[in-house]
Amino acid sequence: MKNDKEVTEYNPFDPNFYTDNPWGTYSWMRNEHPVYHSEKWGWYALTRFDDVAAAALDSDTFRNFEGMDIDATGEQTNAGNFAYMDNPRHDQIRRIVQPFFQPAAVAKRSHPIRQAVRDLVANWQERGEVDIAQELAWPLPFDVFFNLLGLPSVHDEKFAQLEKWTHQLKHREPNSPDLTPISKAAAENIRNYFRELIEARRSKPSDDLLSHIVRAEVDGKPFVEPEVTENSEVLGLLTLLFLGGVESTAGLIGSVFKLLGENPEQRALVLADPNRVSDAIEETLRWSSPLQETARTAIRDVHLHGTTIPAGSRVVLVTGAANRDERQYVDPDTFNISRGKFRHFGFGEGLHRCLGAPLARLEANIVLQEVLPLLGEYEFSGEATFYPSSPNMYVWKNVPIRFDTK
């Protein structure tokens, strides 16, 4: 990471922000501007661990009715996006899908996930050179999540179109919170496709999550109306799941292999003791969490570190910065899988903690168990490239490596 610039602002809309040493910016904010105010964008930002934790857990003061994003992502989901809701409606909608993401339910998917990983890497031993991001980190969560939700499998001709729309959803205007026309069109295409799927599941339900949603009730009333319109909550819920179901897991898997490649002494610990796999996953979630920030709206004046955040202000909880806070961690900028048990914000915190965290953890753990012994002491064969996305995400597009085929 570069560290040759004087830090003067926090601007996650900058396309180069996450490759131009965001950690230096985070340190500057934590130590010199713990309540950072962006004159350009109007919001405030919290970066210290205790401040982020307190705000995330205080859902009475820091509300979500204006959304958890600082860009225009909310325009893609509309009604039904419970990440943009406060209670009681938040819990009512989240409870519809929660059973599919409980640890016990997720654990039942271990075998098919393991088989999917083995299928993806079946010919790697003969090749000795792969792109971890493009050939594993992205394809696996696409396969797993599409199967969970009830979308076409990788063998279906519609799969490629859905995969394309997923990536197009992430298009943003450079240095701006605005969506591109490509992103807006992708969101509309996905909503239209979901309308078709909803009608198909009404007449022929399955055991997938989509069928469960179609049959769901809230307070004794059907969640899905007889006629699904632009403002139907089911479309917002499905689009939210579609937006979040793949990218975070792809980011976690790509980052853990990148970090183990950059820190061979840590990789050696995992290779020597497979029980350290979970340690590597948790340290990756701390060191370079796929979720770098989330937003709230303060409904009252908040006084913190000599600054007043006025009621009605947007407040950014910079979880990526909190995860590197020297007040919370010893030597926080070092990737160290031997930290023991610790708390982090890799999947958020509080009311809006990531719904799919158990599934993402399971996928990443199985991947390391299956693939790291195959790769051994791998090396990078080219430059890793960053995945352009919304300003809250830290994900790799390419991580090319080479390894001994023995």
Side-chain angles (χ1 to χ4, degrees), residues 70-384:
I70 57 174
D71 68 352
T73 296
E75 295 177 9
Q76 297 175 315
T77 55
N78 299 330
N81 177 354
F82 60 77
Y84 278 54
M85 293 180 180
D86 300 298
N87 273 331
R89 194 58 177 170
H90 169 274
D91 283 0
Q92 289 174 334
I93 294 183
R94 184 168 176 134
R95 276 196 293 265
I96 293 172
V97 295
Q98 186 78 56
F100 279 70
F101 296 96
Q102 297 284 10
V106 166
K108 295 177 182 178
R109 299 185 176 273
S110 295
H111 178 72
I113 291 173
R114 196 172 298 277
Q115 187 57 55
V117 173
R118 291 175 178 176
D119 290 345
L120 285 167
V121 305
N123 70 343
W124 283 18
Q125 188 63 65
E126 306 164 10
R127 296 168 53 193
E129 192 164 335
V130 299
D131 184 333
I132 283 288
Q134 287 297 307
E135 300 182 61
L136 180 63
W138 280 100
L140 179 66
F142 266 117
D143 186 0
V144 172
F145 185 73
F146 276 27
N147 179 267
L148 171 69
L149 187 55
L151 299 179
S153 74
V154 67
H155 306 293
D156 191 299
E157 61 181 17
K158 191 67 178 179
F159 180 91
Q161 180 62 73
L162 289 170
E163 185 179 32
K164 182 178 180 180
W165 285 339
T166 304
H167 292 304
Q168 288 178 338
L169 281 172
K170 311 299 180 179
H171 283 221
R172 299 294 184 274
E173 297 288 358
N175 279 304
S176 166
D178 297 332
L179 307 176
T180 66
I182 290 175
S183 180
K184 293 177 182 179
E188 183 62 24
N189 287 331
I190 289 168
R191 285 194 292 269
N192 289 335
Y193 179 68
F194 278 142
R195 283 197 188 93
E196 297 174 10
L197 279 184
I198 289 167
E199 294 310 315
R201 290 301 192 279
R202 284 191 206 270
S203 58
K204 190 176 181 181
S206 182
D207 61 353
D208 53 46
L209 178 53
L210 179 58
S211 297
H212 173 77
I213 291 170
V214 169
R215 294 191 297 262
E217 293 186 348
V218 175
D219 289 339
K221 297 179 180 179
F223 174 64
V224 182
E225 309 100 321
E227 181 182 356
V228 177
T229 69
E230 274 289 327
N231 296 319
S232 293
E233 287 187 319
V234 65
L235 292 183
L237 173 59
L238 290 173
T239 307
L240 168 66
L241 295 172
F242 194 81
L243 277 164
V246 174
E247 188 177 4
S248 293
T249 306
L252 172 57
I253 294 172
S255 285
V256 72
F257 280 101
K258 185 173 184 293
L259 285 168
L260 291 175
E262 293 169 342
N263 298 273
E265 76 289 348
Q266 300 296 304
R267 180 179 60 201
L269 294 175
V270 186
L271 284 168
D273 182 3
N275 291 321
R276 305 300 298 273
V277 162
S278 291
D279 296 335
I281 297 300
E282 296 308 309
E283 178 67 346
T284 298
L285 285 166
R286 182 196 71 83
W287 202 94
S288 58
S289 166
L291 177 68
Q292 287 289 305
E293 51 86 354
T294 183
R296 303 287 189 271
T297 299
I299 64 163
R300 63 172 177 82
D301 288 357
V302 176
H303 308 286
L304 190 62
H305 302 301
T307 298
T308 297
I309 301 174
S313 298
R314 294 286 281 156
V315 182
V316 185
L317 311 184
V318 190
T319 50
N323 281 340
R324 297 289 195 97
D325 190 352
E326 51 279 322
R327 297 159 191 81
Q328 180 73 15
Y329 307 100
V330 175
D331 197 12
D333 292 325
T334 297
F335 180 75
N336 176 13
I337 72 167
S338 300
R339 291 184 182 276
K341 297 295 183 182
F342 58 89
R343 181 182 173 196
H344 61 73
F345 299 118
F347 287 116
E349 184 70 271
L351 185 68
H352 296 280
R353 184 175 176 81
C354 178
L355 176 73
L359 182 59
R361 279 193 169 98
L362 179 65
E363 291 180 61
N365 273 271
I366 290 175
V367 163
L368 274 193
Q369 293 166 8
E370 292 287 328
V371 181
L372 191 58
L374 169 66
L375 301 180
E377 298 178 356
Y378 60 89
E379 299 176 343
F380 297 108
S381 59
E383 193 78 23

